[in-house]
């Protein structure tokens, strides 16, 4: 069996998916500015939860049975972007709006950090995500959200587990995996 951990397509696919997410983030910045700076991380966790629950509903009911005819790809993009915002908020704390260029710089830093984590884990797990179903990514993201809510309910304190930031980073990566799989399945 060949070692797939060095698959050159993985980084390229990640960059393409990230590019789609960043494009949406940048356009929304131009529409709304950084109004999200007012939000606490726990509110962002709930916003991400809404996105993940909608994906699960679409997976269970089918897109043809929806009243709002938007698929799951925009929701996964929303998860990536809200997780990046949550990481920025963890770093800066809720506050006043910042400039668009500063927001983009911080976004890129958080996404780059998450991508670096993915590359290290992907090496160790030998690209196992490629054999997973998109619905499994949805379930894992929902599980990580419930874990994050528990940690937030304990004022961010854990006994043995990783913190909220690690869960946001994992959610970014699982959502990017889902986006890659959705593009490859088309």
């Amino acid at each position: 069996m060949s070692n797939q951990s060095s698959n050159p397509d993985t980084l390229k696919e990640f960059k393409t998916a990230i590019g789609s997410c960043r494009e949406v983030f940048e356009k929304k910045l131009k529409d709304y500015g950084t109004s999200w700076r007012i939000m606490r991380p726990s509110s962002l966790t709930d916003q991400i939860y809404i996105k993940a629950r909608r994906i699960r509903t679409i997976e269970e009911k089918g897109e043809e049975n929806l009243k709002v005819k938007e698929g799951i790809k925009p929701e996964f993009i929303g998860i990536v972007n809200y997780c990046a915002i949550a990481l920025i908020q963890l770093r800066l704390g809720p506050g006043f709006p910042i400039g668009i260029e500063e927001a983009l710089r911080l976004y890129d830093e958080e996404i780059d950090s998450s991508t670096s984590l993915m590359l290290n884990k992907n090496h160790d797990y030998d690209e196992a995500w490629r054999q997973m179903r998109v619905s499994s990514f949805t379930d894992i993201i929902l599980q990580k959200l419930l874990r994050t809510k528990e940690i937030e309910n304990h004022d961010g304190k854990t006994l043995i587990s990783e913190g909220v930031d690690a869960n946001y980073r994992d959610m970014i990566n699982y959502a990017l995996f889902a986006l890659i799989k959705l593009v490859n399945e088309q």
Side-chain angles (χ1 to χ4, degrees):
M1 184 172 187
S2 68
N3 181 353
Q4 295 178 329
S5 63
S6 60
N7 185 340
D9 293 336
T10 300
L11 187 56
K12 180 181 167 199
E13 290 169 324
F14 244 67
K15 286 182 179 183
T16 300
I18 290 166
S20 297
C21 296
R22 191 182 192 280
E23 181 181 345
V24 169
F25 183 77
E26 189 169 5
K27 285 178 179 176
K28 292 216 177 202
L29 278 175
K30 289 178 181 170
D31 286 347
Y32 305 128
T34 57
S35 56
W36 47 264
R37 285 282 297 125
I38 195 74
M39 295 182 80
R40 292 172 283 201
S42 59
S43 297
L44 290 160
T45 300
D46 288 342
Q47 186 65 41
I48 299 162
Y49 181 79
I50 290 168
K51 299 280 184 197
R53 281 299 310 169
R54 184 162 191 281
I55 294 168
R56 177 99 171 246
T57 298
I58 294 169
E59 290 171 346
E60 291 174 352
K61 291 183 178 180
E63 287 188 41
E64 65 279 356
N65 295 315
L66 296 176
K67 293 191 178 201
V68 177
K69 300 294 183 190
E70 293 177 356
I72 62 175
K73 284 171 71 174
E75 303 299 346
F76 278 118
I77 289 170
I79 288 171
V80 170
N81 289 343
Y82 276 117
C83 285
I85 289 169
L87 288 164
I88 292 168
Q89 293 297 81
L90 284 175
R91 188 192 309 187
L92 302 180
F96 297 104
I98 57 176
I100 289 175
E101 291 305 315
E102 177 70 0
L104 287 169
R105 184 186 68 73
L106 292 167
Y107 177 89
D108 290 341
E109 285 179 11
E110 295 302 344
I111 293 295
D112 288 349
S113 180
S114 296
T115 302
S116 177
L117 172 69
M118 178 282 301
L119 290 172
N120 290 335
K121 285 185 174 184
N122 194 44
H123 175 270
D124 292 350
Y125 286 95
D126 202 21
E127 302 239 337
W129 66 273
R130 291 193 182 274
Q131 305 307 315
M132 295 174 66
R133 298 173 188 95
V134 172
S135 60
S136 294
F137 298 134
T138 305
D139 290 350
I140 292 168
I141 290 168
L142 283 164
Q143 176 196 38
K144 294 215 169 264
L145 283 161
L146 294 175
R147 287 179 179 181
T148 300
K149 286 180 167 205
E150 280 297 314
I151 295 168
E152 289 170 344
N153 290 342
H154 295 116
D155 297 320
K157 294 178 180 73
T158 61
L159 299 175
I160 193 168
S161 305
E162 295 177 306
V164 170
D165 59 331
N167 284 289
Y168 287 136
R169 289 192 196 295
D170 285 346
M171 287 185 270
I172 286 172
N173 288 326
Y174 283 117
L176 289 168
F177 288 150
L179 288 167
I180 292 166
K181 297 270 301 187
L182 290 167
V183 167
N184 289 342
E185 290 173 0
Q186 287 180 335

